[in-house]
Amino acid sequence: AQSVTQPDIHITVSEGASLELRCNYSYGATPYLFWYVQSPGQGLQLLLKYFSGDTLVQGIKGFEAEFKRSQSSFNLRKPSVHWSDAAEYFCAVGDRDGNKLVFGAGTILRVKS
Amino acid sequence: EAGVVQSPRYKIIEKKQPVAFWCNPISGHNTLYWYRQNLGQGPELLIRYENEEAVDDSQLPKDRFSAERLKGVDSTLKIQPAELGDSAVYLCASSPSDGRYYEQYFGPGTRLTVT
């Protein structure tokens, strides 16, 4: 069965520092991969997605992610974090057979000034 | 364009009471999803509708949960009776009807607390 692992429950970074959130997936075929962000009291917002082609994908708000098939990873990065980036981030894999998304448990990002 | 609308935003009930959540998807989106998000977890799919048909309800606890989407637009998710373990955020999402299940737009959710 498809699954997503986000190893870090919480991450704290200083404002202006770089960020990397880890995501590992399990999927039998070429995966569709996604990163969502959820601010407190808000729904999930899509940051970026990977379907095929260039393994480095750009998203909104200055985020990018790199698909590495050999490591079954899809890590999210940002070169310089802003205080407004504090939120919870979810990695997801698309289950094409089930026409659904399977989410990881999320990583809470805290930004310190 | 209005996003996915959910109400209420918060609900506190005592165990064994019934509760209902309402969702209005983005106009033109024929696919509607209900997810449950437990504290510290990612969303988990409860049920997926294509128009008024529930095409995947395998994760819906049918002994106490029910859902409907009678006219293929808005939808209601019901729990009767609620249990303490039902405390969670219930998210509704919608996507276009052309197979783009991965293009989901989420509402703000309903936070349910069962006491």
Side-chain angles (χ1 to χ4, degrees):
Chain A
Q2 300 78 12
S3 65
V4 176
T5 301
Q6 294 181 246
D8 304 304
I9 298 174
H10 299 99
I11 282 186
T12 300
V13 299
S14 298
E15 190 169 16
S18 63
L19 169 71
E20 183 169 26
L21 302 183
R22 296 183 292 164
C23 171
N24 293 98
Y25 67 89
S26 172
Y27 189 70
T30 300
Y32 289 0
L33 295 161
F34 310 84
W35 275 99
Y36 284 82
V37 60
Q38 186 178 35
S39 298
Q42 303 296 315
L44 279 75
Q45 181 184 21
L46 180 66
L47 284 176
L48 49 78
K49 58 182 182 282
Y50 170 79
F51 289 163
S52 64
D54 193 346
T55 56
L56 184 64
V57 294
Q58 303 296 321
I60 62 171
K61 305 184 180 184
F63 286 91
E64 65 179 27
E66 186 171 13
F67 170 58
K68 293 185 177 180
R69 183 187 300 275
S70 61
Q71 299 177 19
S72 297
S73 70
F74 189 57
N75 294 349
L76 182 71
R77 301 195 294 248
K78 187 170 185 178
S80 177
V81 169
H82 188 262
W83 64 266
S84 61
D85 293 324
E88 189 161 15
Y89 292 80
F90 293 92
C91 182
V93 64
D95 177 348
R96 290 198 287 277
D97 292 334
N99 287 337
K100 63 183 180 182
L101 297 174
V102 176
F103 288 87
T107 297
I108 296 172
L109 173 64
R110 299 189 178 113
V111 180
K112 61 181 180 181
S113 56
Chain B
E1 178 183 276
V4 176
V5 179
Q6 290 188 248
S7 68
R9 293 293 309 277
Y10 305 91
K11 190 74 176 179
I12 300 174
I13 61 171
E14 294 182 347
K15 62 181 180 182
K16 300 185 182 180
Q17 295 301 306
V19 65
F21 315 123
W22 177 81
C23 171
N24 189 258
I26 292 173
S27 177
H29 283 190
N30 293 343
T31 307
L32 184 147
Y33 310 79
W34 282 104
Y35 289 87
R36 177 168 60 188
Q37 185 178 14
N38 293 316
L39 186 65
Q41 299 295 318
E44 295 179 320
L45 181 68
L46 290 174
I47 189 168
R48 175 169 66 94
Y49 281 94
E50 295 289 346
N51 298 301
E52 63 274 10
E53 181 182 1
V55 295
D56 182 359
D57 63 356
S58 58
Q59 300 303 310
L60 189 72
K62 298 181 182 63
D63 56 336
R64 297 182 300 107
F65 286 65
S66 64
E68 61 183 16
R69 193 184 185 200
L70 295 176
K71 296 183 179 180
V73 180
D74 56 347
S75 175
T76 301
L77 178 68
K78 299 178 182 177
I79 308 175
Q80 182 171 9
E83 297 179 351
L84 295 176
D86 295 330
S87 295
V89 175
Y90 291 83
L91 294 166
C92 179
S94 68
S95 66
S97 59
D98 55 1
R100 285 183 285 165
Y101 71 93
Y102 43 81
E103 193 174 315
Q104 294 185 28
Y105 297 84
F106 285 81
T110 297
R111 181 175 297 276
L112 174 66
T113 301
V114 182
T115 63

